[in-house]
Amino acid sequence: MKTRVTELLGIKYPIIQAPMGPIAVPRLVAAVSNAGGLGVLASGRLAPDDIREDIRAIREQTDRPFGVNLTAGTPGYERIAEVLLDEQVPLICHGRGNPKRLIEQAGGRGTRIMAMIGTARHAVRAEQDGADIVAVAGMEAGGHVSYIGTIVSLPLVAARVNIPVVAAGGFCDGRGLLAALALGAEGVVMGTRFAVTQESGMPLNIKQKYVESTEADTVITDAITGTRLRVLRNRLTDDLEGKGRGLSWRERISGALQTRRTLGVSWWQFLAGGFRMRREYEASFSELGSLAAAAVRVDRAFVQGDADFGAMPGGQVCGRIDDIPTAAEIIERTVAEAGAILESLGQKMYLQEG
Ligand SMILES: Cc1cc2nc3c(=O)[nH]c(=O)nc-3n(C[C@H](O)[C@H](O)[C@H](O)COP(=O)(O)O)c2cc1C
C-alpha cells in the first residue's frame, strides 16, 4: 500500500494512531509503528523530561518512525518543542495555536509536521504555514470536533490543498480506509479504535465501557473544556447538562494549579503561556481554566478508572467496536479488509455495467 503519506513518513500502511491524552503510551505507539502504521505519543500533559523519557522508551521498543503531538502556545511549549527537535522525532502533530516558528525550526532536520484541523479554511492555512500533511477531523470524531462530517469535509479539503490529506473521525477498519482513499485522503487517523486495544493505557473497565457503547452513546458538549468535545455520555455529562453550566470555578482553578505542577513550569512561564494561549486560541481565561479542569477529569477516567465522573473522549465509531484486540491485529485486519472490499467493489461495478 503506497501513498504520498507512506512515502513521506517511511511507513508500510497509511494508518496513523491519533494522539490521545494519557493513553497513547509508549507501548501503544511502538506497537502501532512495529505493525507498519505510525504511532503518536500524546505530550499534552507531560513535562519536557518525561517526554524525552517516553521518546527513548518508544525507541527501545521500535526502530520504526513514530510521532509526538504538540499543542502550540501552551505554557513551557518552547522547551517541549526543543526536546522534540533535539530528539529528531520523525513526525510532530499539532492542533490549535500558531505553529509557524516550529515548522521553520523543523525544516531541514528531517522532522515532518502534520496539522490536525477541522475545516478547509484551516487546511489552506496549514499548507501556507508549511505543514507536510494535513489531518481532517470530522464531527464523528472523539475529542474536540468541528461542525462538519468527514464525508463532506474530506473531499473539500482534498480539493483545496496540494499536500497529502489524511482523514480522522469514524475510522476503525478497511471499509473506512478505502472510503477515505476514495474521498481524496491518502491515509487515515484512528483514535477511538486504537484507544480500545491491549496496549492502550486505558484501565480495563474503561475499555469495556467503550466496547459496550453504541454509536448513540456519545454527546458533544462544551461544558467540559469550554469548546465542543465529543465524549461518552455518563453521569458527569448528564449532571453538567442538567445544570446547564460547565465545570465549577473551584475545579477550574485547582485544574490550572495542577497543570502547572504537571508541566513543571515556573509561575512566570505559566502566566506568559496563559496570555499567549488567550491570544492565539482566542479563548478567555475561563475557557483556559476549563481546559485545565477537563484534563484532570480525563485523568479521572483514564488513570483512576472512574467511568461515572471522569471525562472519556470517544467517537461515534465506538458503536462499531466490539473487541479489545492488539494494535497489530487492527492494522492486519484493516489492510486485509481493504484489499478484499476493493476486489468485491470491482466485481460489483463490473456486474452493473454488464
Ligand atoms: C480517548 C481519546 C483521547 C483523545 N485525546 C486527544 C488529545 O489529547 N489531543 C488531541 O489532539 N486529540 C485527542 N483526541 C482526538 C484524536 O486525536 C482524533 O482526532 C480522534 O480520535 C479521531 O476520531 P476517532 O476517535 O473517531 O478515530 C482524543 C481522542 C480520543 C478517542
Side-chain angles (χ1 to χ4, degrees), residues 18-23 42 44 69 71 94-95 116 137-138 140-144 168-172 189-193 195 202 210 230 298 302 312-317:
M20 291 178 288
I23 61 170
N69 88 318
T71 313
H94 76 83
M116 303 199 55
E140 306 91 326
H144 283 117
F171 297 99
C172 66
V189 175
M190 295 183 194
T192 307
R193 178 60 278 192
M202 262 187 196
Y210 279 73
R230 189 185 287 284
V298 168
F302 291 167
M312 296 174 285
Q316 290 179 328
V317 75

Side-chain angles (χ1 to χ4, degrees), residues 304-319:
Q304 293 157 29
D306 183 348
D308 291 326
F309 293 102
M312 296 174 285
Q316 290 179 328
V317 75
C318 58

Side-chain angles (χ1 to χ4, degrees), residues 61-305:
Q61 297 171 65
T62 185
D63 54 5
R64 304 273 181 89
F66 64 93
V68 181
N69 88 318
L70 175 66
T71 313
T74 49
Y77 132 86
E78 297 89 343
R79 279 175 58 215
I80 296 175
E82 254 169 48
V83 169
L84 303 190
L85 295 172
D86 185 43
E87 289 287 336
Q88 298 186 315
V89 162
L91 178 77
I92 297 179
C93 308
H94 76 83
R96 290 165 84 178
N98 182 356
K100 220 168 167 179
R101 230 183 96 224
L102 172 74
I103 293 175
E104 282 161 14
Q105 289 171 323
R109 293 207 200 192
T111 293
R112 303 290 186 183
I113 304 284
M114 182 169 87
M116 303 199 55
I117 53 95
T119 66
R121 188 167 56 88
H122 288 135
V124 170
R125 212 181 73 205
E127 180 169 50
Q128 283 165 357
D129 285 347
D132 298 291
I133 300 174
V134 70
V136 193
M139 71 171 293
E140 306 91 326
H144 283 117
V145 288
S146 69
Y147 288 88
I148 321 287
T150 310
I151 201 159
V152 171
S153 65
L154 196 49
L156 282 174
V157 170
R160 290 187 60 187
V161 297
N162 294 311
I163 52 174
V165 177
V166 294
F171 297 99
C172 66
D173 58 9
R175 193 172 286 283
L177 171 59
L178 214 50
L181 296 179
L183 288 167
E186 298 187 50
V188 288
V189 175
M190 295 183 194
T192 307
R193 178 60 278 192
F194 281 119
V196 188
T197 54
Q198 297 282 328
E199 296 90 347
S200 131
M202 262 187 196
L204 186 59
N205 69 313
I206 303 288
K207 288 180 192 170
Q208 273 154 353
K209 178 93 185 155
Y210 279 73
V211 168
E212 286 157 17
S213 296
T214 73
E215 65 280 17
D217 288 334
T218 69
V219 284
I220 295 179
T221 175
D222 59 7
I224 297 177
T225 60
T227 46
R228 294 159 50 82
L229 184 78
R230 189 185 287 284
V231 285
L232 300 199
R233 182 191 294 279
N234 62 358
R235 288 179 66 186
L236 171 68
T237 60
D238 287 349
D239 271 8
L240 293 173
E241 260 174 37
K243 287 179 188 143
R245 60 179 168 81
L247 297 172
S248 71
W249 269 101
R250 211 170 120 208
E251 209 172 327
R252 290 184 213 186
I253 291 167
S254 76
L257 298 181
Q258 190 163 329
T259 299
R260 188 190 77 82
R261 284 194 299 274
T262 310
L263 296 177
V265 292
S266 67
W267 278 106
W268 164 246
Q269 287 170 318
F270 188 63
L271 289 174
F275 277 102
R276 186 177 47 214
M277 282 176 83
R278 200 165 158 241
R279 193 178 60 245
E280 290 184 7
Y281 288 37
E282 293 168 7
S284 62
F285 280 121
S286 149
E287 281 167 348
L288 296 180
S290 296
L291 261 183
V296 176
R297 287 283 182 168
V298 168
D299 284 356
R300 189 156 162 178
F302 291 167
V303 179
Q304 293 157 29

